[in-house]
């Protein structure tokens, strides 16, 4: 079968044929648009499917003939003494083009070259349309200076937010863009400068420095808090299952993920990681749910499951089978574990909203609520403690690098800080520490002892000293 691929701005169809001597050959056919290439691929696939070998050979040789003629005509039309261009400049007219003209050409080229994900493409596109193009769009790109970039960053720091953060706020009181949003705009803007220099849109790259980004650490829960919410939402099987997985020996391969991305990203980006585009549920929608490979090679991993989770997955598979029996030919079987009753994919936003609603119904304060990534952080922090700080093991198990794990998940819970304070107190005031432990709830005391082996040793030593002292007094 023929293969469709993209290189730069060209759309290619690759297939094999047999020449007059019976030798197997490969041919690359190049087309200007995706539509032309896909039509050609479908035609070649049809010939190969029907085993029309001679017709495939005829088509390949005809394409080669047309290509040779087009190349000869192009050579004849070249001027005899072409004017040499300055080094690095492909088209001198580019120096008079606007930033918008450059950005519209550069963005698809950049994300394809870097093999960025559809979500990253959507993020770049949103930052361009919402912030960068309104400021730089009509400006001649070769005239953009370092001062212009600094003025842009300053304007962003005073720009009010839109969306949920500004709802219900009086004019002038809405919060401004966060430092992370400003940093993302800076990254998108400056990422194009080296290519603009190579393509002749600018003569030199403006010297700039990135804005300071003040990140807010994602909240995490203790194991007790996670267990509490698991008990409270056990009736909602999909959300309960989604909390356990982001998705015969008690293992599971994680090799696919469902995302909602814009149709533009699907159209512009390479299709090599795109496994399936699910049918739209709403006519006219500008986005689609897709099934794709994980973001990195490390994310493609084997995950070992707990026995309760295996049972929960087994129950979910039974639910799916009952749905298949009910819907029959109307069931859309995409092989998904977390899906709607008729088998169609479930938008991840549903799970996010459902988890947020569960926390609200439980009365968890706004300041203590977390998102799904917060759950992952909670789990990672708990595994670090269970393995006695074996960051390599925990990182490999989650498809992360130890460096990312240590920088983003290496935090201390309030309960651990309180336990440390009591350990310090015990080292200076052992008598008062014993009195405080006696006043605590037994279950809390047991929990603290289980979490702090050193505290157990100190308590045993204190009890031993007391026993020796009492024996000596007798």
């Amino acid at each position: 079968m023929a293969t469709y691929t993209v290189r730069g701005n060209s759309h290619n169809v690759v297939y094999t044929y047999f020449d007059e001597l019976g030798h197997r050959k490969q041919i690359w056919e190049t087309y200007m648009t995706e539509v032309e290439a896909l039509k050609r691929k479908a035609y070649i696939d049809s010939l190969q499917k029907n085993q029309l070998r001679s017709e495939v050979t005829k088509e390949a040789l005809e394409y080669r003939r047309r290509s040779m003629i087009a190349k000869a005509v192009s050579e004849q039309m070249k001027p005899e003494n072409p004017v040499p261009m300055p080094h690095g400049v492909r088209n001198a007219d580019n120096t008079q083009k606007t930033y918008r003209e450059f950005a519209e050409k550069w963005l698809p080229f950049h994300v394809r070259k870097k093999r960025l994900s559809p979500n990253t493409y959507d993020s770049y596109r949103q930052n361009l349309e919402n912030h960068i193009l309104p400021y730089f769009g009509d400006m001649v790109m070769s005239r953009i200076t370092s001062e212009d970039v600094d003025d842009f960053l300053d304007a962003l720091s005073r720009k009010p937010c839109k969306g949920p953060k500004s709802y219900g706020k009086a004019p002038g009181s809405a919060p401004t863009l966060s430092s992370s949003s400003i940093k993302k705009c800076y990254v998108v803007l400056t990422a194009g400068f080296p290519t603009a220099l190579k393509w002749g849109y600018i003569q030199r790259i403006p010297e700039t420095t990135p804005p300071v980004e003040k990140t807010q650490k994602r909240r995490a829960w203790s194991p007790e808090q996670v267990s509490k919410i698991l008990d409270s939402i056990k009736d909602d099987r999909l959300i309960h299952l989604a909390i356990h997985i982001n998705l015969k020996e008690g293992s599971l391969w994680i090799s696919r993920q469902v995302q909602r991305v814009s149709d533009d990203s699907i159209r512009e980006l390479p299709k090599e990681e795109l496994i399936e585009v699910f049918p739209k549920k709403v006519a006219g929608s500008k986005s689609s749910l897709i099934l794709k490979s994980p973001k990195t090679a490390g994310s493609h991993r084997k995950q070992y499951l707990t026995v309760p989770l295996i049972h929960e997955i087994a129950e979910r598979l039974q639910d799916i089978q009952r749905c298949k029996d009910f819907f029959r030919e109307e069931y859309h079987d995409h092989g998904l574990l977390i899906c709607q009753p008729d088998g169609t994919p479930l938008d991840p936003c549903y799970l996010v909203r459902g988890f947020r609603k569960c926390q609200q119904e439980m009365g968890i304060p706004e300041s203590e609520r977390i998102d799904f990534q917060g759950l992952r952080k909670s789990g990672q922090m708990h595994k670090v403690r269970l393995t006695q700080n074996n960051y390599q093991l925990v990182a490999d198990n989650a498809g992360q690098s130890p460096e990312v794990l240590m920088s983003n998940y290496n935090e201390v819970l309030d309960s651990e800080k309180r336990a440390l304070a009591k350990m310090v107190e015990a080292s200076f005031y052992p008598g008062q520490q014993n009195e405080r432990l006696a006043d605590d709830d037994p279950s809390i005391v047991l929990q603290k002892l289980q979490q702090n082996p050193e505290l157990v040793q100190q308590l045993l030593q204190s009890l031993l000293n007391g026993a020796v002292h009492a024996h000596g007094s007798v």
Side-chain angles (χ1 to χ4, degrees), residues 22 33 44 50 54 62 76 79 95 161 190 200 310 317 319 322 364 373 392 409 435 471:
T33 66
I44 297 298
N50 292 302
S54 61
E62 177 63 19
Q76 292 178 358
T95 58
C161 288
T190 56
I310 293 174
L317 292 176
D319 290 341
R322 284 191 288 268
I364 298 177
Q373 279 296 104
Q392 184 67 53
Y409 297 84
E435 293 176 3
H471 180 72

Side-chain angles (χ1 to χ4, degrees), residues 135-146:
Y135 193 93
F136 287 111
D138 297 329
M139 187 180 297
V140 175
M141 191 171 183
S142 60
R143 298 174 187 172
I144 296 177
T145 64
S146 302

